[in-house]
Amino acid sequence: MNRSAATQLFTPLSLGGVETTNRIVISPMCQYSAIEGMVNDWHLVQLGRYALGGAGMVFAEASAVTRDGRITHGDLGIWSDRHIPGLRRLATFLSQQGSIPAIQLAHAGRKGSAARPWEGGAPLSASNYAPGEPPWPTLSSGDMPLADQDSPPSTLTIAEMKALKSDYVKAAKRALSAGFKVIELHCGHGYLLHQFLSPLSNNRQDTYGGSLTNRCRYPLEIVGALRVSLPEHTALLVRISAVDGQVDGWNLQDSIHFGCRLKEVGVDMIDCSSGGIAGSATTTGITRGYGFQVPFAEAIRQAVEIPTMAVGLIVEAVQAEEVLQRDQADLIAIAREALVNPHWALHADNS
């Protein structure tokens, strides 16, 4: 993009105590290439090329806060101090190239214990798992299976929820120790914390189920625990699915309510995606098109008065610039387009 024009895509943004060099973010993208959650050369090369390509912030993929919180056996993890050296190597390289190292903390819940996508993505069972990669029991907000043919997950007990909240805090502290400057909590795409939020997955009968306030309670407790355990200069983001795209599911007004509560507990930005509650971590029941999720970022930004990140089929620099110029979002997340062109940011700067 011509720097002589009045552009926002290449202006800094302060987020908590972090300042980006530009508004371009590489979104978390699962690579399914880890062994026991460990960073390896694949991750360094995969993510390092985005930093070399000029992105202002680069996210490591969703990293499981417990071993059984993985989607597949190939997911990154951050449930042990053994993960810190590899993550530190990655964060150090990203920083050296001028990108802010960021990480997404996640737990798959009932979407865990699955085969890798190129192996079919189905739930692992005694008949389909690879040697050394057995299935594991899944858990969720309630006992509703992802699909009718799937085994139901176990319902998290209050004691287990308390322990898991501690696991999130420990994971965040490991991320800090590894050198990450931005922590994002995954509350979308049908994973565990989204399973608490959505009425399509949460059938609890206690104070964590039923009403919108109750369904938001546990994710907010985790956000609050993270905020008080992190230094003020660490930016705390939350990714949400702004809508389920399903009848009687989580909707935009629910997201605005949740966003207001997130702002109250000190979240710095909301990362606005959609879908995933009833299937894969992609949209369902939502018409896809260029920038199709931008209106969600815009609506939450205006209603909650909080910075937002837009993501979803943003492919051209001019398109990204228009989102910023129209005050629809504050950061632009690039994902699949960066897989095609890891130097997207540099090319945008010279277009």
Side-chain angles (χ1 to χ4, degrees), residues 16-332:
V18 175
E19 183 171 275
T20 67
T21 57
N22 59 50
R23 306 298 183 94
I24 300 166
V25 177
I26 301 301
S27 198
M29 290 181 281
C30 290
Q31 296 296 295
Y32 309 105
S33 300
I35 298 175
E36 282 299 309
M38 298 293 183
V39 168
N40 57 44
D41 288 348
W42 173 270
H43 303 96
L44 181 66
V45 174
Q46 166 71 9
L47 296 174
R49 61 184 184 157
Y50 302 131
L52 293 171
M57 184 185 301
V58 177
F59 267 97
E61 66 189 73
S63 300
V65 300
T66 69
R67 190 173 187 274
D68 288 351
R70 294 175 294 175
I71 311 164
T72 76
H73 278 282
D75 290 12
L76 275 189
I78 194 167
W79 66 82
S80 165
D81 288 350
R82 294 183 298 110
H83 294 102
I84 294 175
L87 290 166
R88 182 180 292 125
R89 180 184 180 215
L90 176 59
T92 298
F93 185 82
L94 297 177
S95 296
Q96 288 172 342
Q97 308 312 313
S99 294
I100 294 172
I103 193 168
Q104 187 182 69
L105 304 183
H107 191 296
R110 70 180 189 179
K111 297 182 83 169
S113 190
R116 296 170 180 85
W118 54 82
E119 296 165 348
L124 294 174
S125 67
S127 63
N128 71 353
Y129 76 86
E133 295 189 342
W136 62 86
T138 60
L139 47 81
S140 184
S141 56
D143 61 0
M144 298 175 65
L146 180 62
D148 292 341
Q149 68 271 20
D150 294 343
S151 300
S154 298
T155 301
L156 276 164
T157 66
I158 299 297
E160 288 171 332
M161 289 165 63
K162 182 177 180 181
L164 183 56
K165 179 169 63 175
S166 177
D167 290 330
Y168 273 100
V169 171
K170 292 175 184 176
K173 291 181 177 179
R174 292 186 188 108
L176 290 181
S177 177
F180 288 93
K181 306 299 182 185
V182 174
I183 308 292
E184 180 174 87
L185 181 66
H186 204 340
C187 291
H189 293 177
Y191 299 123
L192 180 64
L193 298 184
H194 187 183
Q195 292 161 30
F196 272 88
L197 294 171
S198 176
L200 299 180
S201 50
N202 186 342
N203 62 350
R204 298 181 73 96
Q205 301 299 312
D206 60 8
T207 57
Y208 292 97
S211 70
L212 176 60
T213 297
N214 283 356
R215 286 182 279 116
C216 291
R217 192 182 308 278
Y218 187 53
L220 287 171
E221 286 181 0
I222 292 178
V223 173
L226 290 176
R227 184 69 279 175
V228 299
S229 67
L230 295 172
E232 290 185 4
H233 62 264
T234 302
L236 178 59
L237 282 59
V238 173
R239 168 164 278 197
I240 65 169
S241 283
V243 299
D244 281 342
Q246 303 289 315
V247 176
D248 297 327
W250 181 264
N251 59 46
L252 186 55
Q253 289 305 309
D254 295 336
S255 288
I256 290 171
H257 169 87
F258 185 46
C260 290
R261 305 290 83 77
L262 292 173
K263 181 180 177 181
E264 289 172 356
V265 294
V267 167
D268 296 297
M269 172 173 277
I270 299 176
D271 183 358
C272 302
S273 188
S274 63
I277 196 64
S280 64
T282 56
T283 56
T284 52
I286 302 165
T287 301
R288 296 174 67 90
Y290 293 120
F292 69 105
Q293 293 175 151
V294 171
F296 304 140
E298 180 181 19
I300 292 170
R301 186 179 189 271
Q302 291 180 352
V304 181
E305 297 183 338
I306 191 171
T308 60
M309 189 186 308
V311 63
L313 283 178
I314 300 173
V315 299
E316 300 287 348
V318 171
Q319 178 193 9
E321 180 65 26
E322 287 179 350
V323 171
L324 297 173
Q325 293 281 357
R326 294 170 180 170
D327 292 328
Q328 294 176 291
D330 300 273
L331 288 177
I332 303 296

